[in-house]
Amino acid sequence: MAFVDGSMKPQLETRHFAALVALADTGTISKAARALGVAQSTLSETLLSLERSLQAPVLERQPGSAPTLTRAALRLLPHARSILRAMERAQIDALTSHLRIHVGATESLSTWVLPYILENFRRDHPSIEVQVSTDLCASLHRKLEQGHLDLIFTMEPSSGLPGRSPAPAAHLRRKSIRHVPLVVIGGPCTSEAQLSGTSPTIHLPDPDGALHDIVECWASAWSHSARILSAGTTDAVRHNLSVGNGISVLPRYVVAEHLRDGTLRMVKAPVAVPDMTVFATTSAEGALHEPVESLCDRVATRLDELLADS
């Protein structure tokens, strides 16, 4: 793998790309060396070789602080990631006809959406294995950028929140799948009157996800004393509400069955809660491009069914 010009300067090599990516991901030469399984001196020599190939420094060193990547290194970084991923895909394609898609999703999507589409997907794509992991939005984006996932499905604020919904990296593709309405819910005995002039307790599945961010902004618009508590899972949220403990904000399709059987009820809050959007973000190219697009289409269809039913 090389960039060559008329001056015949030293060529860029795979080890240069791996060193640069490891350094960017870990932050220090010692940690990058451990991540790559090489001696620190070996990594330092690789970085010097990279500087000779670029004819530009890779690191900026300030006394008393860890070295940082130069502008030249930062410009090369997305290309390095792309090249390493392409080489990995090429090796997979060359050695086996069996492909694997590593998919990450937030809890509601991995529980109510993906299980209902994977059986048909596997029937239509028998040579492709799909591995699904569940995590928070921020962690899913980080794993995708680091190459640990091929595709993520996340539920995030439709209009974005300042400083909280960064644009994806240049080497990633992101598209909106469906808008999803959120509803304010309580137990069978919860009433709107209980929300007036009180300090409501709002239960959410996790403390760090995008849903927490949007509910925090929403709650501050009408109650500066609202308490937002993490219940761990949506099942735990429903249990807290069923015994008359506070309110919650969840995607409507998640609680549709419980709204129908009366174990939960919708509550009209003083301020309307915004919608969220399901996004698909992927780094998959080559042989994985078509099956990833197929997965995205199936997720959209499943969401349509859920939203119509709720």
Side-chain angles (χ1 to χ4, degrees), residues 99-101 103 114-131 151 288-299:
L99 299 178
R100 181 180 293 112
I101 303 177
V103 178
L114 292 180
Y116 296 87
I117 67 172
L118 289 181
E119 183 177 352
N120 288 337
F121 177 86
R122 289 166 178 149
R123 182 196 62 207
D124 295 340
H125 301 271
S127 65
I128 298 177
E129 177 185 353
V130 179
Q131 293 186 342
L151 169 67
L288 290 183
H289 176 74
E290 189 279 329
V292 161
E293 291 299 314
S294 176
L295 269 175
C296 291
D297 291 341
R298 292 165 193 258
V299 166

Side-chain angles (χ1 to χ4, degrees), residues 151-173:
L151 169 67
I152 62 173
F153 293 105
T154 57
M155 192 177 299
E156 303 180 45
S158 298
S159 58
L161 294 173
R164 302 189 190 186
S165 301
H171 66 280
L172 302 177
R173 295 183 293 111

